[in-house]
Amino acid sequence: MPIEQEYRGRFAPSPTGPLHLGSLVAALASYLDARAHRGCWLVRIEDIDPPRELPGSASQIIQTLQAHGLVPDEPVLYQSSRIKAYQTCIATLRQQGHLFACSCSRHQLRHHPVYPGTCRNTAITDSEPALRLRVDERSIILDDLIQGRQNWPISTCVGDFVIRRRDKLFAYQLAVTIDDAFQGITRVVRGCDLLDSTARQVYLQQLLGFPTPDYAHLPVLVNAQGRKLSKQTGATPVDDARPEQNLWNALCVLGQNPPNGIHLAGVVEILSWARDNWNLSHLPASPEITMH
Ligand SMILES: [Zn+2]
């Protein structure tokens, strides 16, 4: 009899501010998809970019999740505790000859959506400004569970990408890839704004010999102007005092058609209804949902 692989999912916010409805939707979807598969659900705080972070928001996010009944099955993983692992993977990639030192400034690259290859043959010294990964000609093909088949010829649509920044901080792409493998994540449910990142993450998985999880990219909530709900666009923080209403709103956004009146039930009842009725195919297969 084949051994069924245990489902492991996660929600991985950056602590850049409180959760708003858009991020609650992503948290809830990853939670429900895991629960509907009798799987494990984890929370990972992606705190490796201090200049962008807001002190206190990691604990605020965890508190908001808790208020909504979204409690992870294992202790929260903080990426700031994982620096050694990132350094080890960089050493491996460097040894395999995949990296080069890049001293291009943002200004120099401003007209290049794809890196033009300027420093491709620059040897790495101890004072290198940034480390970039030299990509080959392969295509990354992925069957996203919501957005359908994706085909990324990596050299023309992404190009050589940064894995350690000029300020010595590790790139998001590197840390996510390493920690999804470290935590044994089998399915990633997250917003469509990260769909393009997936090509880089799958490419890194292939180089580092990590398995590729399944991916389901949710439509992203945008305002009437078509801009993603975020702190920058003035999205209001989720109010921890009315979790039932917030969960009901999030379920509506996710196309799950929660029955009228269920928002009057408790958080536990709403989540258990939502788990039992969870259907990924009810999600709109579009990259965006406009909120009015
Ligand atoms: Zn360069």
Side-chain angles (χ1 to χ4, degrees):
M1 230 171 76
I3 296 166
E4 221 180 297
Q5 192 188 22
E6 189 202 3
Y7 180 119
R8 289 171 67 84
R10 89 310 196 265
F11 175 58
S14 301
T16 53
L19 294 186
H20 50 80
L21 182 63
S23 34
L24 181 68
V25 162
L28 180 63
S30 65
Y31 173 89
L32 291 175
D33 199 63
R35 285 291 179 262
H37 290 87
R38 298 169 187 277
C40 214
W41 184 70
L42 311 179
V43 171
R44 181 168 76 225
I45 298 288
E46 305 207 318
D47 56 346
I48 47 161
D49 194 352
R52 284 185 60 234
E53 288 159 20
L54 191 69
S57 50
S59 52
Q60 197 181 4
I61 288 169
I62 292 165
Q63 204 178 340
T64 295
L65 292 172
Q66 206 157 24
H68 291 77
L70 307 176
V71 180
D73 296 310
E74 292 177 11
V76 173
L77 181 70
Y78 290 83
Q79 288 196 317
S80 54
S81 71
R82 299 271 304 142
I83 304 303
K84 269 234 151 63
Y86 308 150
Q87 283 165 343
T88 303
C89 281
I90 286 187
T92 304
L93 292 169
R94 181 176 171 178
Q95 212 169 14
Q96 294 171 345
H98 294 301
L99 306 186
F100 63 92
C102 172
S103 51
C104 299
S105 65
R106 197 171 289 221
H107 183 76
Q108 273 173 292
L109 297 175
R110 70 196 184 285
H111 299 310
H112 298 277
V114 170
Y115 183 69
T118 321
C119 314
R120 255 198 150 188
N121 298 312
T122 309
I124 299 176
T125 61
D126 284 335
S127 60
E128 70 276 5
L131 288 178
R132 242 177 227 279
L133 186 80
R134 196 184 294 107
V135 301
D136 60 25
E137 298 301 313
R138 80 183 74 173
S139 281
I140 302 293
I141 294 166
L142 180 83
D143 287 309
D144 188 89
L145 296 168
I146 300 170
Q147 306 297 332
R149 173 155 288 203
Q150 310 293 317
N151 185 342
W152 295 286
I154 191 122
S155 65
T156 53
C157 74
V158 175
D160 300 339
F161 57 94
V162 171
I163 63 160
R164 203 187 66 200
R165 296 168 10 186
R166 297 164 71 87
D167 54 12
K168 309 293 181 204
L169 295 176
F170 297 99
Y172 161 77
Q173 310 294 348
L174 181 83
V176 167
T177 305
I178 293 172
D179 288 338
D180 279 339
F182 173 67
Q183 296 191 288
I185 301 303
T186 60
R187 184 179 289 191
V188 174
V189 179
R190 62 182 177 190
C192 237
D193 48 327
L194 292 167
L195 185 58
D196 285 347
S197 291
T198 311
R200 279 166 278 188
Q201 292 165 27
V202 173
Y203 189 83
L204 277 168
Q205 287 156 8
Q206 294 178 355
L207 292 188
L208 291 164
F210 297 155
T212 294
D214 292 333
Y215 288 92
H217 283 90
L218 309 160
V220 165
L221 300 192
V222 298
N223 62 21
Q225 289 76 44
R227 296 185 61 208
K228 187 195 161 195
L229 291 198
S230 69
K231 199 175 52 170
Q232 288 75 29
T233 56
T236 44
V238 165
D239 180 1
D240 291 354
R242 30 168 257 164
E244 296 87 355
Q245 188 62 48
N246 298 332
L247 287 172
W248 196 83
N249 291 345
L251 287 171
C252 290
V253 168
L254 289 165
Q256 301 300 303
N257 303 314
N260 280 331
I262 200 170
H263 62 284
L264 300 173
V267 163
V268 173
E269 288 77 9
I270 299 172
L271 289 179
S272 104
W273 176 88
R275 177 202 59 213
D276 294 344
N277 293 278
W278 176 245
N279 194 332
L280 208 55
S281 69
H282 289 172
L283 273 155
S286 63
E288 293 179 350
I289 296 175
T290 307
M291 296 295 289
H292 295 286

